[in-house]
Amino acid sequence: MALEKEVGGEIKMNQMDYQEIVQAEILTNDITLCLGCDNGDSHSRGFAYADERKVHYSKKCATRNTLYGFLHEVGHIVMGHGKTSKLRRYEQEAQAEQYARDSFRALGIVTPRSKVALGNAYVARRKRTGDRIIKAR
């Protein structure tokens, strides 16, 4: 069943529905969600500690874009991308991207094209430059 509806030519989804999806992912996958903490890591984009089953994210999931980013991070945990993972980083990123896309499809939500394009570009960059991309400061 789709959680979206068309209103005035635009696709709309209630913010509460996004929060319900987040809560379901947290419960289903035994994940802890941190919406900003004092661990020293930036929450500007979101990241996951797969071994700790913890997602750090900058904001509540109020849009398709923020939900997609959250589901990408959940994908890292569900796929087991911890410290002992044998996959290259770009392979992990590709799997997390696919998890987010598959989740959107299963929920009947239209996947944001801009997020897919950014994800594809990121995976390609990771593949091209290797596992050690240095973050800009």
Side-chain angles (χ1 to χ4, degrees):
M1 177 175 82
L3 299 172
E4 297 179 327
K5 58 187 169 205
E6 190 168 336
V7 177
E10 291 185 31
I11 296 171
K12 299 284 184 182
M13 185 168 178
N14 186 321
Q15 179 179 351
M16 182 55 126
D17 293 333
Y18 288 133
Q19 294 307 310
E20 289 172 6
I21 292 167
V22 168
Q23 289 303 313
E25 288 289 328
I26 289 169
L27 292 173
T28 301
N29 297 300
D30 190 29
I31 293 171
T32 302
L33 175 63
C34 172
L35 290 174
C37 63
D38 295 329
N39 74 346
D41 291 319
S42 168
H43 287 73
S44 64
R45 289 196 177 114
F47 55 94
Y49 289 130
D51 294 329
E52 298 173 18
R53 303 194 68 76
K54 190 170 194 176
V55 170
H56 294 262
Y57 210 67
S58 60
K59 50 187 120 178
K60 285 187 176 180
C61 295
T63 66
R64 288 183 305 148
N65 285 341
T66 55
L67 181 62
Y68 186 90
F70 169 76
L71 290 170
H72 170 100
E73 298 308 331
V74 169
H76 283 298
I77 293 171
V78 171
M79 298 300 198
H81 297 160
K83 292 178 183 176
T84 60
S85 175
K86 302 287 187 220
L87 296 175
R88 301 277 307 270
R89 184 64 186 267
Y90 79 88
E91 293 170 318
Q92 293 177 21
E93 294 301 333
Q95 284 185 347
E97 282 293 306
Q98 192 61 53
Y99 181 87
R101 291 176 199 162
D102 290 346
S103 295
F104 264 63
R105 189 175 302 110
L107 291 164
I109 303 172
V110 176
T111 306
R113 289 182 187 169
S114 62
K115 292 299 276 188
V116 172
L118 286 171
N120 289 341
Y122 183 62
V123 170
R125 190 175 113 218
R126 281 277 183 187
K127 187 173 184 178
R128 194 173 53 251
T129 59
D131 293 341
R132 299 205 179 267
I133 294 177
I134 298 173
K135 295 178 184 176
R137 298 221 182 236

